[in-house]
Amino acid sequence: RAEATAKLKDLAATRTELGSKKKEVQGKLAEARQLLNTLTAQEKQQLAAAEQTRATRGTERVSMGKITPGSGHAGAAFSAAQSKIGSPYDYGHNGPSTFDCSGLTSWAYAQANVSIPRTSEAQANIGQRIYSQNQLQVGDLVFFYGDLHHVGLYAGKGMVLHAPHSGAFVRYESMGNMPYQFGVRV
């Protein structure tokens, strides 16, 4: 009974926290919509064209040359993720045909028989942290943005293999395009 009571309290706390985060996200969405409504028709067309260019950039398979995997599991995870290049981004999905960023990484590691948490924030708390980009190995998890809301797999040569955002596809991209925080070796 005591264990059940403790779990109910944890659940209530989690529910409260999720409600707070939902309100925060809804507020940001409302601000974005309000800002979007201030744009002229020409500005909206330019924005749509720029987004279409970003969404389709890098959907083709990029030759990265010879890639030496960092470890057996990391190499297997990276190979699995490579097989999904061109798959569409879909928030909350972890394959096998659509992915969000952490869905791709958790799916890829599952193909290597390694279970990792589902969210980028939880994935940031496993394994060995690597702060220097020059110490990263192919297949290491790499995290971006201060709140760690984005994760991908290090591809070597300063590149990340990831599922970037809505409207985009799994692709390679320069790590310099996002604020790198650290890597994790699983």
PDB file of all heavy atoms in Angstrom, residues 35-64:
ATOM      1  N   LEU A  35       2.964  35.996 -34.343  1.00  0.00           N
ATOM      2  CA  LEU A  35       4.036  36.579 -35.150  1.00  0.00           C
ATOM      3  C   LEU A  35       3.823  36.258 -36.629  1.00  0.00           C
ATOM      4  O   LEU A  35       3.974  37.130 -37.489  1.00  0.00           O
ATOM      5  CB  LEU A  35       5.394  36.052 -34.677  1.00  0.00           C
ATOM      6  CG  LEU A  35       6.620  36.571 -35.398  1.00  0.00           C
ATOM      7  CD1 LEU A  35       6.734  38.095 -35.246  1.00  0.00           C
ATOM      8  CD2 LEU A  35       7.872  35.905 -34.856  1.00  0.00           C
ATOM      9  N   LEU A  36       3.444  35.033 -36.919  1.00  0.00           N
ATOM     10  CA  LEU A  36       3.197  34.620 -38.297  1.00  0.00           C
ATOM     11  C   LEU A  36       2.066  35.440 -38.915  1.00  0.00           C
ATOM     12  O   LEU A  36       2.129  35.816 -40.085  1.00  0.00           O
ATOM     13  CB  LEU A  36       2.858  33.127 -38.346  1.00  0.00           C
ATOM     14  CG  LEU A  36       2.729  32.486 -39.718  1.00  0.00           C
ATOM     15  CD1 LEU A  36       4.031  32.611 -40.510  1.00  0.00           C
ATOM     16  CD2 LEU A  36       2.351  31.023 -39.579  1.00  0.00           C
ATOM     17  N   ASN A  37       1.051  35.762 -38.130  1.00  0.00           N
ATOM     18  CA  ASN A  37      -0.081  36.543 -38.636  1.00  0.00           C
ATOM     19  C   ASN A  37       0.280  37.981 -38.953  1.00  0.00           C
ATOM     20  O   ASN A  37      -0.467  38.663 -39.648  1.00  0.00           O
ATOM     21  CB  ASN A  37      -1.249  36.498 -37.647  1.00  0.00           C
ATOM     22  CG  ASN A  37      -1.910  35.141 -37.612  1.00  0.00           C
ATOM     23  OD1 ASN A  37      -1.835  34.385 -38.567  1.00  0.00           O
ATOM     24  ND2 ASN A  37      -2.545  34.817 -36.497  1.00  0.00           N
ATOM     25  N   THR A  38       1.422  38.462 -38.474  1.00  0.00           N
ATOM     26  CA  THR A  38       1.842  39.833 -38.774  1.00  0.00           C
ATOM     27  C   THR A  38       2.589  39.929 -40.104  1.00  0.00           C
ATOM     28  O   THR A  38       2.849  41.029 -40.583  1.00  0.00           O
ATOM     29  CB  THR A  38       2.750  40.397 -37.660  1.00  0.00           C
ATOM     30  OG1 THR A  38       3.970  39.656 -37.618  1.00  0.00           O
ATOM     31  CG2 THR A  38       2.050  40.375 -36.309  1.00  0.00           C
ATOM     32  N   LEU A  39       2.928  38.767 -40.703  1.00  0.00           N
ATOM     33  CA  LEU A  39       3.676  38.778 -41.959  1.00  0.00           C
ATOM     34  C   LEU A  39       2.783  39.137 -43.133  1.00  0.00           C
ATOM     35  O   LEU A  39       1.597  38.798 -43.154  1.00  0.00           O
ATOM     36  CB  LEU A  39       4.304  37.399 -42.214  1.00  0.00           C
ATOM     37  CG  LEU A  39       5.327  36.903 -41.204  1.00  0.00           C
ATOM     38  CD1 LEU A  39       5.779  35.488 -41.565  1.00  0.00           C
ATOM     39  CD2 LEU A  39       6.520  37.833 -41.124  1.00  0.00           C
ATOM     40  N   THR A  40       3.381  39.794 -44.119  1.00  0.00           N
ATOM     41  CA  THR A  40       2.664  40.084 -45.364  1.00  0.00           C
ATOM     42  C   THR A  40       2.589  38.802 -46.190  1.00  0.00           C
ATOM     43  O   THR A  40       3.309  37.832 -45.925  1.00  0.00           O
ATOM     44  CB  THR A  40       3.396  41.166 -46.178  1.00  0.00           C
ATOM     45  OG1 THR A  40       4.655  40.630 -46.621  1.00  0.00           O
ATOM     46  CG2 THR A  40       3.610  42.434 -45.371  1.00  0.00           C
ATOM     47  N   ALA A  41       1.754  38.808 -47.221  1.00  0.00           N
ATOM     48  CA  ALA A  41       1.616  37.638 -48.093  1.00  0.00           C
ATOM     49  C   ALA A  41       2.955  37.303 -48.754  1.00  0.00           C
ATOM     50  O   ALA A  41       3.336  36.140 -48.865  1.00  0.00           O
ATOM     51  CB  ALA A  41       0.543  37.888 -49.150  1.00  0.00           C
ATOM     52  N   GLN A  42       3.700  38.332 -49.168  1.00  0.00           N
ATOM     53  CA  GLN A  42       4.999  38.113 -49.808  1.00  0.00           C
ATOM     54  C   GLN A  42       5.989  37.501 -48.811  1.00  0.00           C
ATOM     55  O   GLN A  42       6.723  36.577 -49.147  1.00  0.00           O
ATOM     56  CB  GLN A  42       5.555  39.427 -50.354  1.00  0.00           C
ATOM     57  CG  GLN A  42       6.867  39.253 -51.087  1.00  0.00           C
ATOM     58  CD  GLN A  42       7.409  40.570 -51.636  1.00  0.00           C
ATOM     59  OE1 GLN A  42       6.829  41.632 -51.418  1.00  0.00           O
ATOM     60  NE2 GLN A  42       8.526  40.487 -52.338  1.00  0.00           N
ATOM     61  N   GLU A  43       5.984  37.987 -47.572  1.00  0.00           N
ATOM     62  CA  GLU A  43       6.881  37.437 -46.551  1.00  0.00           C
ATOM     63  C   GLU A  43       6.530  35.978 -46.241  1.00  0.00           C
ATOM     64  O   GLU A  43       7.415  35.149 -46.044  1.00  0.00           O
ATOM     65  CB  GLU A  43       6.818  38.275 -45.275  1.00  0.00           C
ATOM     66  CG  GLU A  43       7.461  39.640 -45.401  1.00  0.00           C
ATOM     67  CD  GLU A  43       7.197  40.537 -44.204  1.00  0.00           C
ATOM     68  OE1 GLU A  43       6.112  40.420 -43.585  1.00  0.00           O
ATOM     69  OE2 GLU A  43       8.078  41.358 -43.893  1.00  0.00           O
ATOM     70  N   LYS A  44       5.236  35.673 -46.236  1.00  0.00           N
ATOM     71  CA  LYS A  44       4.807  34.285 -46.005  1.00  0.00           C
ATOM     72  C   LYS A  44       5.272  33.374 -47.129  1.00  0.00           C
ATOM     73  O   LYS A  44       5.697  32.243 -46.893  1.00  0.00           O
ATOM     74  CB  LYS A  44       3.288  34.205 -45.852  1.00  0.00           C
ATOM     75  CG  LYS A  44       2.782  34.741 -44.531  1.00  0.00           C
ATOM     76  CD  LYS A  44       1.274  34.638 -44.433  1.00  0.00           C
ATOM     77  CE  LYS A  44       0.774  35.234 -43.126  1.00  0.00           C
ATOM     78  NZ  LYS A  44      -0.685  35.189 -42.995  1.00  0.00           N
ATOM     79  N   GLN A  45       5.204  33.861 -48.395  1.00  0.00           N
ATOM     80  CA  GLN A  45       5.675  33.070 -49.528  1.00  0.00           C
ATOM     81  C   GLN A  45       7.172  32.825 -49.425  1.00  0.00           C
ATOM     82  O   GLN A  45       7.640  31.720 -49.671  1.00  0.00           O
ATOM     83  CB  GLN A  45       5.370  33.781 -50.852  1.00  0.00           C
ATOM     84  CG  GLN A  45       3.946  33.639 -51.324  1.00  0.00           C
ATOM     85  CD  GLN A  45       3.747  34.317 -52.666  1.00  0.00           C
ATOM     86  OE1 GLN A  45       4.317  35.374 -52.937  1.00  0.00           O
ATOM     87  NE2 GLN A  45       2.924  33.700 -53.509  1.00  0.00           N
ATOM     88  N   GLN A  46       7.934  33.854 -49.051  1.00  0.00           N
ATOM     89  CA  GLN A  46       9.383  33.710 -48.910  1.00  0.00           C
ATOM     90  C   GLN A  46       9.715  32.722 -47.793  1.00  0.00           C
ATOM     91  O   GLN A  46      10.608  31.892 -47.932  1.00  0.00           O
ATOM     92  CB  GLN A  46      10.037  35.064 -48.625  1.00  0.00           C
ATOM     93  CG  GLN A  46      10.019  36.005 -49.801  1.00  0.00           C
ATOM     94  CD  GLN A  46      10.476  37.406 -49.432  1.00  0.00           C
ATOM     95  OE1 GLN A  46      10.451  37.803 -48.272  1.00  0.00           O
ATOM     96  NE2 GLN A  46      10.896  38.169 -50.436  1.00  0.00           N
ATOM     97  N   LEU A  47       8.985  32.791 -46.700  1.00  0.00           N
ATOM     98  CA  LEU A  47       9.196  31.884 -45.581  1.00  0.00           C
ATOM     99  C   LEU A  47       8.886  30.445 -45.989  1.00  0.00           C
ATOM    100  O   LEU A  47       9.642  29.516 -45.670  1.00  0.00           O
ATOM    101  CB  LEU A  47       8.323  32.301 -44.396  1.00  0.00           C
ATOM    102  CG  LEU A  47       8.485  31.507 -43.103  1.00  0.00           C
ATOM    103  CD1 LEU A  47       9.909  31.620 -42.571  1.00  0.00           C
ATOM    104  CD2 LEU A  47       7.495  32.007 -42.056  1.00  0.00           C
ATOM    105  N   ALA A  48       7.788  30.257 -46.711  1.00  0.00           N
ATOM    106  CA  ALA A  48       7.416  28.907 -47.162  1.00  0.00           C
ATOM    107  C   ALA A  48       8.462  28.346 -48.118  1.00  0.00           C
ATOM    108  O   ALA A  48       8.817  27.158 -48.033  1.00  0.00           O
ATOM    109  CB  ALA A  48       6.042  28.938 -47.830  1.00  0.00           C
ATOM    110  N   ALA A  49       8.970  29.183 -49.022  1.00  0.00           N
ATOM    111  CA  ALA A  49      10.000  28.724 -49.961  1.00  0.00           C
ATOM    112  C   ALA A  49      11.287  28.350 -49.228  1.00  0.00           C
ATOM    113  O   ALA A  49      11.918  27.333 -49.527  1.00  0.00           O
ATOM    114  CB  ALA A  49      10.284  29.810 -51.001  1.00  0.00           C
ATOM    115  N   ALA A  50      11.676  29.159 -48.247  1.00  0.00           N
ATOM    116  CA  ALA A  50      12.884  28.860 -47.470  1.00  0.00           C
ATOM    117  C   ALA A  50      12.717  27.573 -46.673  1.00  0.00           C
ATOM    118  O   ALA A  50      13.635  26.758 -46.581  1.00  0.00           O
ATOM    119  CB  ALA A  50      13.207  30.022 -46.533  1.00  0.00           C
ATOM    120  N   GLU A  51      11.542  27.357 -46.097  1.00  0.00           N
ATOM    121  CA  GLU A  51      11.280  26.135 -45.330  1.00  0.00           C
ATOM    122  C   GLU A  51      11.303  24.913 -46.237  1.00  0.00           C
ATOM    123  O   GLU A  51      11.828  23.868 -45.868  1.00  0.00           O
ATOM    124  CB  GLU A  51       9.943  26.229 -44.588  1.00  0.00           C
ATOM    125  CG  GLU A  51       9.635  25.019 -43.750  1.00  0.00           C
ATOM    126  CD  GLU A  51      10.683  24.694 -42.692  1.00  0.00           C
ATOM    127  OE1 GLU A  51      11.338  25.601 -42.170  1.00  0.00           O
ATOM    128  OE2 GLU A  51      10.859  23.499 -42.396  1.00  0.00           O
ATOM    129  N   GLN A  52      10.742  25.030 -47.438  1.00  0.00           N
ATOM    130  CA  GLN A  52      10.749  23.905 -48.386  1.00  0.00           C
ATOM    131  C   GLN A  52      12.188  23.549 -48.767  1.00  0.00           C
ATOM    132  O   GLN A  52      12.541  22.378 -48.836  1.00  0.00           O
ATOM    133  CB  GLN A  52       9.929  24.249 -49.631  1.00  0.00           C
ATOM    134  CG  GLN A  52       9.857  23.125 -50.639  1.00  0.00           C
ATOM    135  CD  GLN A  52       9.187  21.886 -50.080  1.00  0.00           C
ATOM    136  OE1 GLN A  52       8.325  21.951 -49.224  1.00  0.00           O
ATOM    137  NE2 GLN A  52       9.593  20.729 -50.544  1.00  0.00           N
ATOM    138  N   THR A  53      13.024  24.556 -48.961  1.00  0.00           N
ATOM    139  CA  THR A  53      14.430  24.318 -49.283  1.00  0.00           C
ATOM    140  C   THR A  53      15.123  23.599 -48.136  1.00  0.00           C
ATOM    141  O   THR A  53      15.841  22.625 -48.343  1.00  0.00           O
ATOM    142  CB  THR A  53      15.150  25.649 -49.587  1.00  0.00           C
ATOM    143  OG1 THR A  53      14.505  26.256 -50.706  1.00  0.00           O
ATOM    144  CG2 THR A  53      16.619  25.432 -49.889  1.00  0.00           C
ATOM    145  N   ARG A  54      14.893  24.051 -46.903  1.00  0.00           N
ATOM    146  CA  ARG A  54      15.504  23.406 -45.730  1.00  0.00           C
ATOM    147  C   ARG A  54      14.992  21.991 -45.551  1.00  0.00           C
ATOM    148  O   ARG A  54      15.742  21.082 -45.201  1.00  0.00           O
ATOM    149  CB  ARG A  54      15.214  24.212 -44.460  1.00  0.00           C
ATOM    150  CG  ARG A  54      16.150  25.358 -44.222  1.00  0.00           C
ATOM    151  CD  ARG A  54      16.021  25.894 -42.803  1.00  0.00           C
ATOM    152  NE  ARG A  54      14.690  26.340 -42.466  1.00  0.00           N
ATOM    153  CZ  ARG A  54      14.202  27.544 -42.702  1.00  0.00           C
ATOM    154  NH1 ARG A  54      14.944  28.439 -43.301  1.00  0.00           N
ATOM    155  NH2 ARG A  54      12.977  27.859 -42.351  1.00  0.00           N
ATOM    156  N   ALA A  55      13.704  21.781 -45.784  1.00  0.00           N
ATOM    157  CA  ALA A  55      13.100  20.466 -45.558  1.00  0.00           C
ATOM    158  C   ALA A  55      13.639  19.414 -46.513  1.00  0.00           C
ATOM    159  O   ALA A  55      13.781  18.255 -46.145  1.00  0.00           O
ATOM    160  CB  ALA A  55      11.579  20.556 -45.684  1.00  0.00           C
ATOM    161  N   THR A  56      13.945  19.797 -47.736  1.00  0.00           N
ATOM    162  CA  THR A  56      14.393  18.814 -48.716  1.00  0.00           C
ATOM    163  C   THR A  56      15.910  18.733 -48.811  1.00  0.00           C
ATOM    164  O   THR A  56      16.425  17.818 -49.442  1.00  0.00           O
ATOM    165  CB  THR A  56      13.815  19.132 -50.109  1.00  0.00           C
ATOM    166  OG1 THR A  56      14.231  20.440 -50.486  1.00  0.00           O
ATOM    167  CG2 THR A  56      12.303  19.034 -50.097  1.00  0.00           C
ATOM    168  N   ARG A  57      16.626  19.665 -48.186  1.00  0.00           N
ATOM    169  CA  ARG A  57      18.094  19.655 -48.232  1.00  0.00           C
ATOM    170  C   ARG A  57      18.627  18.389 -47.570  1.00  0.00           C
ATOM    171  O   ARG A  57      18.222  18.021 -46.492  1.00  0.00           O
ATOM    172  CB  ARG A  57      18.638  20.888 -47.492  1.00  0.00           C
ATOM    173  CG  ARG A  57      20.140  20.975 -47.473  1.00  0.00           C
ATOM    174  CD  ARG A  57      20.590  22.149 -46.656  1.00  0.00           C
ATOM    175  NE  ARG A  57      20.267  21.885 -45.259  1.00  0.00           N
ATOM    176  CZ  ARG A  57      20.106  22.813 -44.339  1.00  0.00           C
ATOM    177  NH1 ARG A  57      20.236  24.070 -44.646  1.00  0.00           N
ATOM    178  NH2 ARG A  57      19.816  22.493 -43.110  1.00  0.00           N
ATOM    179  N   GLY A  58      19.518  17.723 -48.240  1.00  0.00           N
ATOM    180  CA  GLY A  58      20.208  16.588 -47.646  1.00  0.00           C
ATOM    181  C   GLY A  58      19.415  15.304 -47.614  1.00  0.00           C
ATOM    182  O   GLY A  58      19.788  14.387 -46.894  1.00  0.00           O
ATOM    183  N   THR A  59      18.357  15.192 -48.387  1.00  0.00           N
ATOM    184  CA  THR A  59      17.586  13.950 -48.337  1.00  0.00           C
ATOM    185  C   THR A  59      18.265  12.855 -49.144  1.00  0.00           C
ATOM    186  O   THR A  59      17.978  11.681 -48.946  1.00  0.00           O
ATOM    187  CB  THR A  59      16.152  14.148 -48.856  1.00  0.00           C
ATOM    188  OG1 THR A  59      16.210  14.657 -50.179  1.00  0.00           O
ATOM    189  CG2 THR A  59      15.375  15.084 -47.958  1.00  0.00           C
ATOM    190  N   GLU A  60      19.170  13.223 -50.049  1.00  0.00           N
ATOM    191  CA  GLU A  60      19.875  12.203 -50.794  1.00  0.00           C
ATOM    192  C   GLU A  60      21.000  11.627 -49.923  1.00  0.00           C
ATOM    193  O   GLU A  60      21.451  12.253 -48.985  1.00  0.00           O
ATOM    194  CB  GLU A  60      20.449  12.780 -52.093  1.00  0.00           C
ATOM    195  CG  GLU A  60      21.585  13.774 -51.915  1.00  0.00           C
ATOM    196  CD  GLU A  60      21.137  15.175 -51.503  1.00  0.00           C
ATOM    197  OE1 GLU A  60      19.938  15.464 -51.528  1.00  0.00           O
ATOM    198  OE2 GLU A  60      22.008  15.961 -51.141  1.00  0.00           O
ATOM    199  N   ARG A  61      21.420  10.435 -50.262  1.00  0.00           N
ATOM    200  CA  ARG A  61      22.496   9.783 -49.495  1.00  0.00           C
ATOM    201  C   ARG A  61      23.815  10.492 -49.809  1.00  0.00           C
ATOM    202  O   ARG A  61      24.235  10.559 -50.948  1.00  0.00           O
ATOM    203  CB  ARG A  61      22.569   8.296 -49.842  1.00  0.00           C
ATOM    204  CG  ARG A  61      23.445   7.563 -48.899  1.00  0.00           C
ATOM    205  CD  ARG A  61      23.311   6.058 -49.121  1.00  0.00           C
ATOM    206  NE  ARG A  61      23.795   5.416 -47.940  1.00  0.00           N
ATOM    207  CZ  ARG A  61      23.056   4.737 -47.083  1.00  0.00           C
ATOM    208  NH1 ARG A  61      21.787   4.611 -47.304  1.00  0.00           N
ATOM    209  NH2 ARG A  61      23.585   4.186 -46.032  1.00  0.00           N
ATOM    210  N   VAL A  62      24.457  11.018 -48.805  1.00  0.00           N
ATOM    211  CA  VAL A  62      25.718  11.730 -48.947  1.00  0.00           C
ATOM    212  C   VAL A  62      26.848  10.736 -48.736  1.00  0.00           C
ATOM    213  O   VAL A  62      26.824   9.960 -47.789  1.00  0.00           O
ATOM    214  CB  VAL A  62      25.830  12.862 -47.898  1.00  0.00           C
ATOM    215  CG1 VAL A  62      27.192  13.520 -47.946  1.00  0.00           C
ATOM    216  CG2 VAL A  62      24.736  13.876 -48.105  1.00  0.00           C
ATOM    217  N   SER A  63      27.824  10.746 -49.614  1.00  0.00           N
ATOM    218  CA  SER A  63      28.967   9.863 -49.414  1.00  0.00           C
ATOM    219  C   SER A  63      29.890  10.500 -48.390  1.00  0.00           C
ATOM    220  O   SER A  63      30.397  11.597 -48.579  1.00  0.00           O
ATOM    221  CB  SER A  63      29.721   9.656 -50.723  1.00  0.00           C
ATOM    222  OG  SER A  63      30.894   8.915 -50.465  1.00  0.00           O
ATOM    223  N   MET A  64      30.086   9.804 -47.289  1.00  0.00           N
ATOM    224  CA  MET A  64      30.958  10.306 -46.224  1.00  0.00           C
ATOM    225  C   MET A  64      32.341   9.671 -46.323  1.00  0.00           C
ATOM    226  O   MET A  64      33.172   9.856 -45.453  1.00  0.00           O
ATOM    227  CB  MET A  64      30.339   9.995 -44.857  1.00  0.00           C
ATOM    228  CG  MET A  64      29.045  10.719 -44.584  1.00  0.00           C
ATOM    229  SD  MET A  64      29.279  12.449 -44.249  1.00  0.00           S
ATOM    230  CE  MET A  64      30.130  12.352 -42.686  1.00  0.00           C
TER     231      MET A  64
END
